[in-house]
């Protein structure tokens, strides 16, 4: 997925802030972003990665997982670990 221009990514400031604030105390590790298809998980992750790298030369790792109401804990873990 190609990076989005930060100027073109609008309307998700609260989500961006929440994700950045969650990541700041953790210099390493992996974060899983989950949600239904088409809500912009990958775009959000790409923009926050760009912002964190520009600000602190940190590049957090993410795994983006699509979920539905039928997603069970077992199927979620299988998706993440595969």
């Amino acid at each position: 997925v190609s990076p989005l221009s930060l100027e073109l990514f609008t309307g998700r400031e609260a989500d961006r802030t929440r994700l950045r604030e969650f990541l700041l105390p953790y210099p390493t590790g992996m974060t899983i972003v989950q949600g239904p298809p088409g809500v912009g998980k990958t775009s959000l992750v790409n923009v926050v990665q760009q912002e964190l790298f520009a600000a602190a030369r940190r590049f957090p790792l993410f795994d983006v997982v699509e979920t539905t109401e039928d997603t069970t804990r077992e199927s979620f873990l299988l998706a993440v670990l595969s």
Side-chain angles (χ1 to χ4, degrees), residues 3-5 7-11 26 29 44-45 48-49 53-54 61 63 65 67-69 74-75 82:
L4 292 173
S5 168
E7 295 82 31
L8 297 176
F9 192 79
T10 60
Y26 305 102
L44 176 66
V45 163
V48 170
Q49 280 181 327
F53 185 75
L61 298 176
D63 193 358
V65 179
T67 60
T68 67
E69 294 99 23
E74 291 79 15
S75 64
S82 61

Side-chain angles (χ1 to χ4, degrees), residues 31-64:
T31 301
I32 299 168
V33 178
Q34 72 177 60
V39 297
K41 298 175 300 294
T42 301
S43 297
L44 176 66
V45 163
N46 285 337
V47 167
V48 170
Q49 280 181 327
Q50 289 178 54
E51 291 171 339
L52 288 174
F53 185 75
R57 295 290 186 238
R58 290 185 52 224
F59 199 78
L61 298 176
F62 290 91
D63 193 358
V64 177

